């Protein structure tokens, strides 16, 4: 195995993409449930997002790497009772995580119960409304899994703070503290809560709680394995570790040989290379990336590695948006080459391409055919019958032309 002392940017991209599960053949058939599980374990964390203008972000991450798979398989992995293989908690924001990580995050749950490392309003609520929190926990204990709206002790919603009721706030405090977890999600993405001791596998609950330092080191190992090569900030951001904790733990991992400090071409600051990574001679990836994909969720890293400044524009006024409302970068080879604003029009059974822009310096003709193919695959996976291109952006008209020369999506029912 090569002993690296420095890396070119191209090598950084290839190592990271290989570590993230890109570059392998996505095949022509449907990925199996065990493929989805293996990928989720490889990534370590996939951010949950409720926005469903196209598809929810956590469902897109497996599609980007595996191609077509059954939505029901991901749901089963996350919510199939005590046989579940994934669970929800605060990993990188709200995330789907391999069930084996639950003991590694108990230190975060314990801190949350003390009001540390959580949203200020939740912490204050936890201090001031202990009696209500105990009542809500007792109601879940007695009545079984419940959504916030089903609580007797739900209270009234407030105008601010997402309009949450007091009952919902109590549930979220209990969720942070690890006392309840997500039992399932209903069709509207409504979270149903149950006691962690009833919802999680017995073997996981029986696992001894590791010391904070050990757990944090292990989380950083998982982040390093999922990224291949990363900056200090990128490593700690993967599971949102505090800067002070991460700095000490990373130094310990360097001493142990799990991380190797390394120079990167053109960077003033260095990075860290995970143990036993390999660089592929080339990466033949083609994927549309959700805005919260693990490959690009650390925006400064994504810009440094891929040269693409990626920002979420959902909350930007329409007239100030550069690329659109729900924009997916297109990964082709080892580069981000385009941005595509997409919407699933379920009533009309259409995948709507609101805008398509090539990255600066990328020739449209070199990428439009690949984009057309990827859109066809996405439309078929989402059970949409046609693709409607609005024509906005420098790729719009070429994309319309390319799609006219491809067959319509193969829709499976």
């Amino acid at each position: 195995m090569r002993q690296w002392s420095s890396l070119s940017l191209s090598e950084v991209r290839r190592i990271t993409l290989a570590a993230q599960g890109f570059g392998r053949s996505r095949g022509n058939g449907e990925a199996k449930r065990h493929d989805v599980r293996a990928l989720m374990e490889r990534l370590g964390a996939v951010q949950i997002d409720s926005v469903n203008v196209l598809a929810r972000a956590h469902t897109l991450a497996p599609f980007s790497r595996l191609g077509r798979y059954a939505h029901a398989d991901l749901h089963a992995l996350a919510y199939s009772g005590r046989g579940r293989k994934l669970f929800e908690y605060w990993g990188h924001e709200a995330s789907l995580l391999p069930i084996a990580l639950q003991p590694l995050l108990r230190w975060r749950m314990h801190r949350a119960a003390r009001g540390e490392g959580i949203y200020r309003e939740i912490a204050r609520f936890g201090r001031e409304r202990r009696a209500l929190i105990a009542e809500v926990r007792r109601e879940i204990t007695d009545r079984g899994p419940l959504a916030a709206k089903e609580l007797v002790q739900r209270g009234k919603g407030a105008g601010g703070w997402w309009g949450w009721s007091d009952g919902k706030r109590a549930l979220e405090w209990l969720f942070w503290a690890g006392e309840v977890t997500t039992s399932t999600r209903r069709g509207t993405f409504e979270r149903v809560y149950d006691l962690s001791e009833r919802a999680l596998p017995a073997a996981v609950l029986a696992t001894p709680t590791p010391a904070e330092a050990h757990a944090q080191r292990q989380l950083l190992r998982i982040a390093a394995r999922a990224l291949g090569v990363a900056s200090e900030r990128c490593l700690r951001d993967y599971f949102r570790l505090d800067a002070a904790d991460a700095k000490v733990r990373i130094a310990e991992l360097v001493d142990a040989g799990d991380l190797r400090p390394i120079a990167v071409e053109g960077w003033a600051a260095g990075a860290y290379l995970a143990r036993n990574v390999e660089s592929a001679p080339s990466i033949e990836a083609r994927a549309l990336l959700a805005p919260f994909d693990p490959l690009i969720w650390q925006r400064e890293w994504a810009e440094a590695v891929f040269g693409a400044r990626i920002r979420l524009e959902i909350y930007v006024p329409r007239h100030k948006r550069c690329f659109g409302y729900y924009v997916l970068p297109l990964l082709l080879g080892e580069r981000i080459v385009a941005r595509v604003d997409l919407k699933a029009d379920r009533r009309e059974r259409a995948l709507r391409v609101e805008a398509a822009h090539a990255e600066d310096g990328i020739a449209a003709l070199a990428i439009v055919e690949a984009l057309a193919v990827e859109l066809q695959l996405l439309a078929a996976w989402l059970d949409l019958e046609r693709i409607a291109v609005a024509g906005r952006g420098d790729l719009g008209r070429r994309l319309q032309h390319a799609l006219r020369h491809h067959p319509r999506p193969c829709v499976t029912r």
Side-chain angles (χ1 to χ4, degrees), residues 111-405:
R111 288 188 185 184
R114 301 194 298 266
E116 300 171 12
I118 63 177
Y119 296 140
R120 185 180 303 173
E121 291 295 330
I122 290 279
R124 184 171 67 186
F125 188 87
R127 292 191 303 270
E128 297 175 355
R129 305 297 300 276
R130 301 295 294 184
L132 176 62
I133 291 170
E135 283 294 321
V136 168
R137 193 187 193 285
R138 188 155 37 247
E139 189 173 350
I140 295 285
T141 302
D142 294 343
R143 295 179 59 200
L146 295 171
K149 69 182 182 183
E150 296 168 332
L151 290 170
V152 172
Q153 299 287 342
R154 61 182 177 270
K156 294 183 179 180
W161 204 23
W162 301 288
W164 282 2
S165 67
D166 285 346
K168 171 67 173 175
R169 296 177 190 188
L171 284 170
E172 286 300 309
W173 188 92
L174 289 165
F175 182 85
W176 266 106
E179 295 188 39
V180 303
T181 190
T182 306
S183 173
T184 191
R185 292 271 188 174
R186 292 180 178 152
T188 58
F189 208 57
E190 178 183 41
R191 179 186 271 165
V192 178
Y193 302 82
D194 197 7
L195 298 180
S196 296
E197 64 205 58
R198 286 198 303 232
L200 298 180
V204 170
L205 295 171
T207 301
T209 299
E212 278 194 13
H214 174 84
Q216 291 169 357
R217 283 193 295 270
Q218 187 59 20
L219 290 172
L220 285 166
R221 288 188 186 100
I222 293 166
R225 182 194 67 205
L227 292 167
V229 56
S231 66
E232 178 179 319
R233 181 174 181 180
C234 204
L235 284 171
R236 66 177 166 85
D237 184 68
Y238 207 84
F239 288 103
R240 293 292 168 89
L241 300 182
D242 290 343
D245 288 334
K247 190 175 186 66
V248 175
R249 303 287 90 81
I250 288 172
E252 292 168 350
L253 291 174
V254 170
D255 289 342
D258 292 307
L259 293 175
R260 178 195 295 273
I262 200 155
V264 177
E265 170 194 5
W267 291 5
Y272 295 93
L273 188 68
R275 185 201 291 266
N276 296 331
V277 299
E278 294 287 350
S279 177
S282 63
I283 293 287
E284 299 298 328
R286 187 193 67 227
L288 288 160
L289 305 172
F292 305 109
D293 191 281
L295 181 68
I296 57 173
W297 63 26
Q298 217 300 314
R299 306 305 194 194
E300 290 78 8
W301 175 256
E303 186 169 359
V305 173
F306 296 103
R309 187 178 187 275
I310 298 167
R311 297 294 184 271
L312 188 66
E313 296 187 293
I314 287 176
Y315 305 109
V316 175
R318 184 181 183 120
H319 68 280
K320 292 185 177 181
R321 293 175 191 149
C322 297
F323 299 104
Y325 180 78
Y326 198 78
V327 177
L328 283 73
L330 174 66
L331 174 70
L332 190 61
E334 64 181 55
R335 303 297 300 273
I336 289 175
V337 298
R339 323 271 180 112
V340 192
D341 183 16
L342 295 175
K343 176 181 179 180
D345 186 339
R346 294 171 179 89
R347 176 176 295 181
E348 298 295 327
R349 303 286 301 281
L351 176 61
R352 298 200 178 277
V353 183
E354 305 290 354
H357 297 83
E359 291 293 300
D360 290 344
I362 299 294
L365 288 175
I367 62 174
V368 72
E369 291 290 335
L371 175 57
V373 171
E374 192 63 24
L375 289 170
Q376 294 278 13
L377 292 175
L378 178 62
W381 178 61
L382 294 175
D383 198 22
L384 302 172
E385 293 182 337
R386 63 190 180 91
I387 300 172
V389 182
R392 289 188 290 273
D394 57 352
L395 291 177
R397 292 192 176 183
R398 288 187 175 92
L399 186 58
Q400 289 173 334
H401 177 79
L403 286 167
R404 281 197 294 268
H405 291 79

